[in-house]
Amino acid sequence: MGRDRGGQSEVKHQVVHQALSPLTGIALKVISVAIFVGMSTSIKLAGQVPAGQIVFFRSFFAIFPILVFLAWQGELRTAVVTTRPFGHIMRGLAGVTAMGFSFFALTQLPLPEAITLNYAQPLLVVVFSALILGENVRAYRWTAVAIGLVGVLIVSWPNLTLFTSPEGVSDKAAMGAVAAIVGAALSAIAMLLVRNLVHTERTATIVLWFSLTASIMALFSIPFGWQSLTWEQTALLVTSGFCGGIAQLFMTEAYRHAEASTVAPFEYTSLLLGIVVGYLVFGDLPTLYTLVGGVIVVGAGIFIIWRERRLGIERQAAKKAAPPQ
């Protein structure tokens, strides 16, 4: 996650936390994942609402818990201060478009499938890191990405009836599956932009700028068909926004207490939670495709995380072994 421009003192403080409280970091991560699943459930319960309208509620009402947290931390006045507004806007554009596709998929697909297809994002981050940033990706990670994308294809295959159905892309489930994959790809691009921002920007600044820019950009979708909402729909979408903001804060704190490689695998608890909530709330039973493909995607993602950790350890060892300049 991002670091303060002050740099070294905060990093040392985080390292102490990482060494002393990994269980706290894991607990915070699981809580954040559960709240994110609650966000997705609220959006799905709201029914057929235009994606841009969902993005607005999700982004705008996420601002309020973030502002409360910043005020409590004494960082409210400086949270929006940045020297890189264009970088934040580009990140916001990629992120809000990804949210739009993902939320559309959520309205079209069962909850477990929508969550599982979103797991393509970390796999695609590896692909785009090599293609766009020119990072050196070796055979191990390419193999994991290939296997993971096979898992994504297994999950989405029953819904991709555009290859066999005479209705083609008009099929609701097919459009949802394609939207989920496109959303994951755009989310991966947004993640690369965040990687670039964290070198100079604080986490609070990145989160707040994204919520603000996403809220404004979502308003441009009004001409494309916002609709009148019932009180129940309004309450559910407002709840999704608060859940999104609170979950973001828990996730940020999780990375302050433990290394990313320690807590990141627990992102996949959302698949189990999605299956449980999908069954209890919507009566959705996971298909064999979802279970098999989900296991493959999760396994590939965990391997990539493990591989990143190993490479990081090797790089640190190489630096320590290098003679002083």
Side-chain angles (χ1 to χ4, degrees):
M1 301 302 292
R3 68 181 61 173
D4 191 279
R5 291 177 190 170
Q8 296 181 356
S9 61
E10 182 177 350
V11 170
K12 290 179 181 177
H13 180 67
Q14 291 182 16
V15 168
V16 171
H17 275 296
Q18 289 169 358
L20 295 178
S21 54
L23 291 180
T24 301
I26 291 170
L28 291 170
K29 178 64 175 180
V30 172
I31 291 171
S32 77
V33 167
I35 298 174
F36 272 128
V37 171
M39 178 198 77
S40 298
T41 303
S42 298
I43 291 170
K44 191 162 180 62
L45 283 170
Q48 297 296 315
V49 178
Q53 197 168 0
I54 297 174
V55 169
F56 173 78
F57 276 88
R58 158 65 180 89
S59 304
F60 180 74
F61 287 96
I63 294 173
F64 295 97
I66 293 171
L67 290 177
V68 170
F69 177 78
L70 290 174
W72 179 57
Q73 293 286 317
E75 299 178 355
L76 189 58
R77 291 184 178 181
T78 59
V80 295
V81 176
T82 180
T83 58
R84 302 178 61 188
F86 182 73
H88 287 286
I89 292 172
M90 291 300 296
R91 187 265 196 233
L93 181 61
V96 76
T97 309
M99 286 171 62
F101 276 102
S102 298
F103 292 160
F104 174 76
L106 198 57
T107 65
Q108 306 298 311
L109 294 172
L111 187 63
E113 276 84 345
I115 290 175
T116 304
L117 289 173
N118 190 54
Y119 290 155
Q121 188 247 43
L123 305 176
L124 293 173
V125 166
V126 176
V127 176
F128 294 154
S129 294
L131 297 179
I132 299 174
L133 302 182
E135 291 185 4
N136 183 25
V137 179
R138 297 181 181 179
Y140 287 107
R141 280 188 289 167
W142 278 126
T143 302
V145 168
I147 293 173
L149 293 179
V150 168
V152 171
L153 185 61
I154 291 173
V155 174
S156 58
W157 187 258
N159 296 321
L160 296 180
T161 53
L162 67 162
F163 297 114
T164 58
S165 172
E167 288 85 10
V169 292
S170 63
D171 183 85
K172 174 181 172 180
M175 292 179 65
V178 172
I181 295 171
V182 172
L186 290 169
S187 181
I189 293 174
M191 183 59 64
L192 295 184
L193 294 172
V194 171
R195 277 188 183 180
N196 182 262
L197 286 171
V198 296
H199 294 300
T200 59
E201 305 293 282
R202 293 172 299 173
T203 299
T205 304
I206 295 172
V207 171
L208 190 55
W209 265 84
F210 174 68
S211 294
L212 290 169
T213 54
S215 300
I216 294 170
M217 290 176 181
L219 294 175
F220 287 97
S221 68
I222 291 177
F224 299 98
W226 281 31
Q227 65 186 42
S228 298
L229 302 175
T230 65
W231 284 108
E232 182 181 5
Q233 286 177 311
T234 302
L236 286 167
L237 292 179
V238 170
T239 299
S240 76
F242 277 101
C243 284
I246 294 170
Q248 185 72 47
L249 294 173
F250 272 103
M251 185 175 69
T252 301
E253 285 302 301
Y255 285 99
R256 294 189 188 282
H257 287 272
E259 294 179 356
S261 58
T262 300
V263 301
F266 291 88
E267 176 71 30
Y268 295 114
T269 57
S270 61
L271 177 58
L272 178 60
L273 291 172
I275 289 173
V276 173
V277 174
Y279 175 72
L280 294 178
V281 179
F282 304 102
D284 295 331
L285 283 172
T287 65
L288 182 61
Y289 288 96
T290 302
L291 295 175
V292 173
V295 169
I296 293 173
V297 173
V298 169
I302 291 176
F303 177 81
I304 288 174
I305 293 166
W306 173 83
R307 184 65 181 166
E308 290 289 341
R309 177 179 172 81
R310 292 298 307 169
L311 291 174
I313 292 173
E314 291 173 5
R315 283 192 290 266
Q316 289 297 323
K319 286 181 181 179
K320 291 179 180 179
Q325 299 295 323

